[in-house]
């Protein structure tokens, strides 16, 4: 009798242990507290997608000395080391989020990086970079393709859970305002500043709404940096500096307003908005405050301010470029992109910055929110 009772209890215990597993035998189960990170944007966030498209070397960072500080080889990131999303993934206890186009990246439960150097919110058909970059609408298309793959591996319910828990991080728009001045684009010639910014914001918010429709609820945004004062702008087109800056300021104001409207329109929509503009401006004007020796010149490049895009010697300027001795002393690594040290400082502002720099939530708060708190 005692043996039968023990046998019965053992079977019950096994059934209890096996039940949660057998419910997911045909599919992959998600860890209960997983919050994935999905990344959209431009060269500030591109972890190497442009390595895998037919583009020019001007939109790639896959040559030495890019990546020298952390990875010890060029990964496609436009910095000497890690980018802002790399640090955010670390803080959120996620692995590095690989580029979506990486050929050996079949798993998306931790997130995916869709960003492309040179990308903007405008469609490539209407931009000056047609065919060379992955614009925001195409990044959205890739996201939808990824959702289809997730549904096949996780099932409908688990995919919905993953997408609703995830954080969606954006850096987009700088190229929409800077690129037309360095190309033959006619967009700005036939639009007022207000009309042009409205077009960029309109494309951007359409993508946000579509991700929300797919289940996204938690979003992180950087406003645009003072691109009119980048080393590249000051070296190549200083006469356009003030107009680019005026457009960027108008965009930042419009984006802040648009996000407030989306909060009232979209169920469960929560967002974090970080003031990149002020950080870069202060870093350029007072580099010592942030531990830099140089705030207005790039570490790698040539010409005035090392603002000519020649870092690595494989771009339109071949073989000739200058490289500083210590990138951590510089706000900018090349003509337009922060050093790894600056990226880390920015990531910390996104992650746990106070309301002076990041509002109405920081990313730590968004990653920490449970599903019941955002619906």
């Amino acid at each position: 009798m005692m043996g039968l009772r023990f046998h019965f209890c053992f079977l019950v215990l096994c059934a209890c242990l096996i039940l949660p597993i057998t419910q997911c035998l045909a599919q992959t189960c998600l860890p209960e507290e997983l919050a994935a990170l999905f990344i959209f944007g431009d060269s500030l966030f591109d972890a190497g997608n442009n390595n895998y498209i037919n583009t020019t070397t001007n939109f790639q960072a896959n040559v030495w000395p890019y990546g020298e500080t952390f990875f010890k080889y060029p990964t496609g990131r436009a910095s000497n080391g890690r980018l802002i999303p790399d640090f955010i993934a670390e803080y959120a206890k996620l692995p590095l989020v690989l580029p979506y186009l990486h050929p050996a990246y079949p798993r998306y439960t931790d997130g995916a990086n869709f960003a492309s150097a040179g990308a903007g919110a405008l469609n490539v058909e209407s931009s000056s970079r047609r065919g060379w970059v992955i614009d925001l609408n195409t990044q959205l298309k890739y996201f939808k393709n990824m959702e289809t793959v997730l549904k096949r591996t996780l099932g409908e319910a688990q995919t919905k859970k993953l997408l609703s828990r995830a954080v969606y991080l954006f850096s987009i728009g700088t190229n929409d305002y800077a690129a037309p001045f360095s190309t033959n684009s006619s967009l700005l010639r036939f639009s007022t500043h207000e009309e042009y910014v409205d077009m960029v914001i309109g494309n951007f918010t359409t993508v946000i709404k579509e991700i929300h429709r797919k289940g996204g609820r938690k979003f992180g945004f950087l406003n645009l940096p003072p691109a009119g004062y980048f080393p590249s702008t000051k070296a190549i087109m200083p006469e356009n500096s003030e107009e680019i800056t005026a457009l960027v300021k108008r965009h930042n104001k419009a984006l802040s307003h648009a996000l407030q409207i989306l909060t009232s329109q979209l169920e469960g929509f929560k967002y974090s908005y970080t003031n990149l503009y002020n950080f870069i401006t202060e870093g350029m004007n007072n580099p010592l405050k942030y531990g830099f020796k140089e705030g207005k010149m790039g570490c790698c490049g040539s010409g005035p301010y090392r603002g000519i895009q020649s870092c690595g010697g494989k771009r339109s300027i071949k073989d000739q470029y200058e490289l500083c001795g210590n990138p951590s002393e510089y706000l900018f690594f090349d003509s337009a992109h922060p050093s790894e040290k600056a990226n880390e400082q920015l990531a910390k502002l996104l992650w746990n910055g106070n309301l002076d720099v990041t509002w109405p939530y920081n990313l730590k708060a968004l990653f920490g929110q449970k599903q019941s708190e955002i619906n």
Side-chain angles (χ1 to χ4, degrees), residues 273-287:
Y273 179 90
T274 301
N275 196 336
L276 173 64
Y277 185 97
N278 279 6
F279 174 87
I280 297 294
T281 300
E282 291 177 2
M284 287 191 295
N285 294 330
N286 187 11

Side-chain angles (χ1 to χ4, degrees), residues 83-155:
L83 304 180
I84 293 169
D86 297 321
F87 289 105
I88 298 302
E90 176 187 335
Y91 303 155
K93 295 180 172 53
L94 294 168
L96 285 178
V97 180
L98 294 180
Y100 172 76
L101 295 181
H102 194 290
Y105 191 39
R107 174 182 169 87
Y108 305 116
T109 51
D110 295 318
N113 186 326
F114 305 98
S116 168
L122 297 180
N123 297 338
V124 289
E125 287 78 10
S126 61
S127 78
S128 60
R129 303 186 171 196
R130 181 184 307 173
W132 301 118
V133 302
I134 308 165
D135 66 35
L136 187 58
N137 280 343
T138 305
Q139 293 178 34
L140 175 65
K141 177 184 174 182
Y142 289 165
F143 171 75
K144 292 178 178 179
N145 292 344
M146 181 209 66
E147 180 198 25
T148 301
V149 173
L150 284 171
K151 285 180 178 178
R152 286 201 298 264
T153 56
L154 299 178

Side-chain angles (χ1 to χ4, degrees), residues 29-295:
C29 289
L30 293 174
E32 192 57 37
E33 297 302 319
L34 176 71
L37 176 62
F38 295 110
I39 301 155
F40 301 80
D42 51 30
S43 55
L44 202 63
F45 284 2
D46 184 0
N49 278 309
N50 280 14
N51 292 348
Y52 307 105
I53 64 174
N54 183 22
T55 187
T56 73
T57 54
N58 287 334
F59 299 124
Q60 294 175 323
N62 55 2
V63 295
W64 186 265
Y66 288 104
E68 65 169 3
T69 301
F70 181 79
F71 298 99
K72 309 304 180 185
Y73 67 95
T75 65
R77 292 167 170 83
S79 183
N80 58 302
R82 289 163 289 183
L83 304 180
I84 293 169
D86 297 321
F87 289 105
I88 298 302
E90 176 187 335
Y91 303 155
K93 295 180 172 53
L94 294 168
L96 285 178
V97 180
L98 294 180
Y100 172 76
L101 295 181
H102 194 290
Y105 191 39
R107 174 182 169 87
Y108 305 116
T109 51
D110 295 318
N113 186 326
F114 305 98
S116 168
L122 297 180
N123 297 338
V124 289
E125 287 78 10
S126 61
S127 78
S128 60
R129 303 186 171 196
R130 181 184 307 173
W132 301 118
V133 302
I134 308 165
D135 66 35
L136 187 58
N137 280 343
T138 305
Q139 293 178 34
L140 175 65
K141 177 184 174 182
Y142 289 165
F143 171 75
K144 292 178 178 179
N145 292 344
M146 181 209 66
E147 180 198 25
T148 301
V149 173
L150 284 171
K151 285 180 178 178
R152 286 201 298 264
T153 56
L154 299 178
E156 292 273 354
Q158 291 285 302
T159 298
K160 181 178 179 181
K161 183 184 292 186
L162 185 148
L163 296 182
S164 64
R165 288 178 183 171
V167 172
Y168 300 83
L169 188 60
F170 288 84
S171 166
I172 200 78
T174 300
N175 293 305
D176 293 302
Y177 301 112
F181 292 96
S182 60
T183 66
N184 293 321
S185 174
S186 60
L187 282 173
L188 276 170
R189 292 201 299 271
F190 297 104
S191 306
T192 66
H193 281 193
E194 183 177 8
E195 290 169 342
Y196 189 76
V197 170
D198 285 347
M199 184 164 54
V200 173
I201 295 293
N203 276 27
F204 194 0
T205 54
T206 296
V207 169
I208 296 168
K209 289 177 181 178
E210 187 62 17
I211 293 173
H212 178 273
R213 190 178 72 82
K214 292 292 185 179
R217 292 296 182 267
K218 300 183 287 185
F219 294 78
F221 303 96
L222 288 168
N223 70 7
L224 299 187
Y229 303 121
F230 280 1
S232 56
T233 310
K234 292 187 294 182
I236 299 171
M237 45 184 181
E239 69 279 5
N240 302 122
S241 178
E242 296 303 325
E243 188 172 0
I244 293 172
T245 301
L247 282 162
V248 163
K249 287 181 176 179
R250 184 180 288 271
H251 172 98
N252 288 344
K253 184 176 180 180
L255 176 60
S256 180
H257 180 64
L259 294 176
Q260 293 174 40
I261 293 174
L262 290 176
T263 301
S264 64
Q265 291 178 340
L266 304 180
E267 180 184 1
F269 178 80
K270 305 284 186 183
Y271 73 92
S272 173
Y273 179 90
T274 301
N275 196 336
L276 173 64
Y277 185 97
N278 279 6
F279 174 87
I280 297 294
T281 300
E282 291 177 2
M284 287 191 295
N285 294 330
N286 187 11
L288 291 177
K289 177 180 177 180
Y290 299 95
F292 301 110
K293 289 184 178 180
E294 177 56 59

Side-chain angles (χ1 to χ4, degrees), residues 294-305:
E294 177 56 59
K296 296 182 179 180
M297 177 181 289
C299 166
C300 185
S302 57
Y305 305 99

